[in-house]
Amino acid sequence: MSNTPMAANPLTRAVLEIDEYVSGLGWDQPARLFALVDTARLRAEQPSLADRLGLGAEQESAALTPIEQDELPTGKPLDEFLGTIAWPDAVVGCALSVERLMLPPSAEAQVPEDLDEAALTKWVAGHPERQEVRMTVAVLRDGTRESALRLREKDSSTEVLTGSDLVPGLAEALKATFEE
């Protein structure tokens, strides 16, 4: 994508490309799952698909191409759904973009005890310090990971935070989709 900032490695570039794509769809979107494939291999093995995706020969040989998967099922918890995924060998990694509400660490002490998941969700949604965040997390088969976080109140490509350990639980769940 033309507005994706240059990043040091292909996985970071792929995460930022997915973040930019999803941000262009607006907020209040469902979770989106992407397969990550080696761009050079895709061009060599599927030239017509590479052409449809606009992957010309000028693309960097170490690049990763995100390919959006079918819509995730509604009504099924995300962790359960991820447990059903198996990737073909051509997929070198995967990524998920999902929106959530989060609280600052200072609010953790305020969380009432003994809330079930539904009550906790309602409590967080009503908290005055809540933040809406879009998390895009990617992992490769070898366990390499990268994340991008975008706050709704700072919805700008220059305000996206990246790092490998920003959403460790989701990264582990995605890594598990490659385990046999």
Side-chain angles (χ1 to χ4, degrees), residues 36-85:
L36 299 176
V37 296
D38 178 271
T39 302
R41 181 176 175 186
L42 178 64
R43 275 197 314 264
E45 294 178 6
Q46 302 270 341
S48 63
L49 177 58
D51 287 344
R52 282 193 308 234
L53 295 173
L55 304 175
E58 71 281 356
Q59 290 280 349
E60 180 183 335
S61 62
L64 296 169
T65 298
I67 300 174
E68 188 171 5
Q69 303 301 291
D70 291 335
E71 203 170 293
L72 278 65
T74 57
K76 186 170 193 174
L78 188 58
D79 57 341
E80 286 180 26
F81 170 72
L82 291 176
T84 67
I85 295 175

Side-chain angles (χ1 to χ4, degrees), residues 80-97:
E80 286 180 26
F81 170 72
L82 291 176
T84 67
I85 295 175
W87 297 104
D89 291 339
V91 174
V92 299
C94 66
L96 182 77
S97 185

Side-chain angles (χ1 to χ4, degrees), residues 102-111 129:
M102 65 179 230
L103 296 175
S106 60
E108 286 183 27
Q110 302 169 12
V111 177
E129 294 179 81

Side-chain angles (χ1 to χ4, degrees), residues 20-167:
E20 180 182 337
Y21 164 73
V22 175
S23 74
L25 301 172
W27 285 87
D28 305 317
Q29 295 291 315
R32 295 178 184 278
L33 182 66
F34 298 82
L36 299 176
V37 296
D38 178 271
T39 302
R41 181 176 175 186
L42 178 64
R43 275 197 314 264
E45 294 178 6
Q46 302 270 341
S48 63
L49 177 58
D51 287 344
R52 282 193 308 234
L53 295 173
L55 304 175
E58 71 281 356
Q59 290 280 349
E60 180 183 335
S61 62
L64 296 169
T65 298
I67 300 174
E68 188 171 5
Q69 303 301 291
D70 291 335
E71 203 170 293
L72 278 65
T74 57
K76 186 170 193 174
L78 188 58
D79 57 341
E80 286 180 26
F81 170 72
L82 291 176
T84 67
I85 295 175
W87 297 104
D89 291 339
V91 174
V92 299
C94 66
L96 182 77
S97 185
V98 63
E99 296 175 14
R100 292 291 185 258
L101 293 177
M102 65 179 230
L103 296 175
S106 60
E108 286 183 27
Q110 302 169 12
V111 177
E113 293 190 29
D114 301 327
L115 292 180
D116 64 17
E117 189 173 337
L120 178 61
T121 299
K122 185 176 179 179
W123 184 84
V124 170
H127 195 282
E129 294 179 81
R130 75 185 177 284
Q131 293 282 328
E132 291 180 73
V133 64
R134 180 180 300 118
M135 303 174 284
T136 302
V137 180
V139 298
L140 298 179
R141 283 184 184 271
D142 68 6
T144 304
R145 60 179 69 176
E146 187 62 70
S147 305
L149 297 180
R150 181 186 292 250
L151 294 174
R152 188 172 191 155
E153 75 174 23
K154 294 183 179 185
D155 193 3
S156 164
S157 61
T158 61
E159 297 288 336
V160 175
L161 178 65
T162 60
S164 60
D165 291 322
L166 297 177
V167 193

